Amino acid sequence: GGFDAWVAKKYPVVKGSGKPATQRPKRIGIPDVKKRVEKGDLTILDVRSAADFAAGHVKGALNAPLEGFDPKTLGISKTKDVLVYDKAAGRSRTAADKLTEAGYKAFEMPGGILGWLKKGNTLEIK
């Protein structure tokens, strides 16, 4: 009988926050990331620690560790797509969600920096 039957039987009903469930951030595949890095049409955020970032990162990436991540303090443009990555993939979703909520067009890179390396791409070290 569905939800109406559930309510009719006076089973418990929990009301949500009223916000729609967040969708998974969109992704840009590694071959496309490479092309867009070369064109310079992406803002790239590496959400790993400063030490991991210093050991090597995607060319042109900015370090914005997830700990303390706040889109308001990044100083990046909302007119450019933002690519977020971490070591493997998990934490980049949190950062991408925060960016999206703040009005940025944010994307994840599947596989993170490990996926980048598996595809034979190099890292920049500064």
Side-chain angles (χ1 to χ4, degrees):
F3 184 71
D4 291 335
W6 182 274
V7 172
K9 290 184 180 187
K10 300 197 187 286
Y11 290 145
V13 176
V14 177
K15 294 185 179 186
S17 66
K19 295 180 184 177
T22 57
Q23 295 180 346
R24 177 183 203 128
K26 292 181 181 176
R27 296 173 147 203
I28 301 175
I30 291 172
D32 290 331
V33 169
K34 186 173 181 177
K35 289 176 192 171
R36 293 187 71 182
V37 165
E38 290 168 3
K39 285 173 61 177
D41 72 345
L42 277 175
T43 297
I44 306 167
L45 299 178
D46 182 323
V47 296
R48 298 175 302 147
S49 70
D52 287 341
F53 180 81
H57 50 271
V58 173
K59 181 181 177 185
L62 305 171
N63 190 216
L66 188 59
E67 295 72 28
F69 187 88
D70 183 356
K72 294 177 218 156
T73 63
L74 294 173
I76 59 174
S77 172
K78 289 185 179 180
T79 62
K80 211 173 188 185
D81 290 351
V82 181
L83 177 75
V84 182
Y85 73 87
D86 67 358
K87 182 177 181 181
R91 298 179 313 151
S92 60
R93 179 179 296 178
T94 301
D97 286 344
K98 288 182 179 185
L99 287 163
T100 300
E101 288 172 13
Y104 293 87
K105 189 172 179 185
F107 298 87
E108 287 182 292
M109 182 170 67
I113 196 80
L114 295 178
W116 178 260
L117 291 170
K118 283 181 185 177
K119 295 284 185 180
N121 297 301
T122 60
L123 299 178
E124 178 177 72
I125 300 173
K126 284 186 184 178

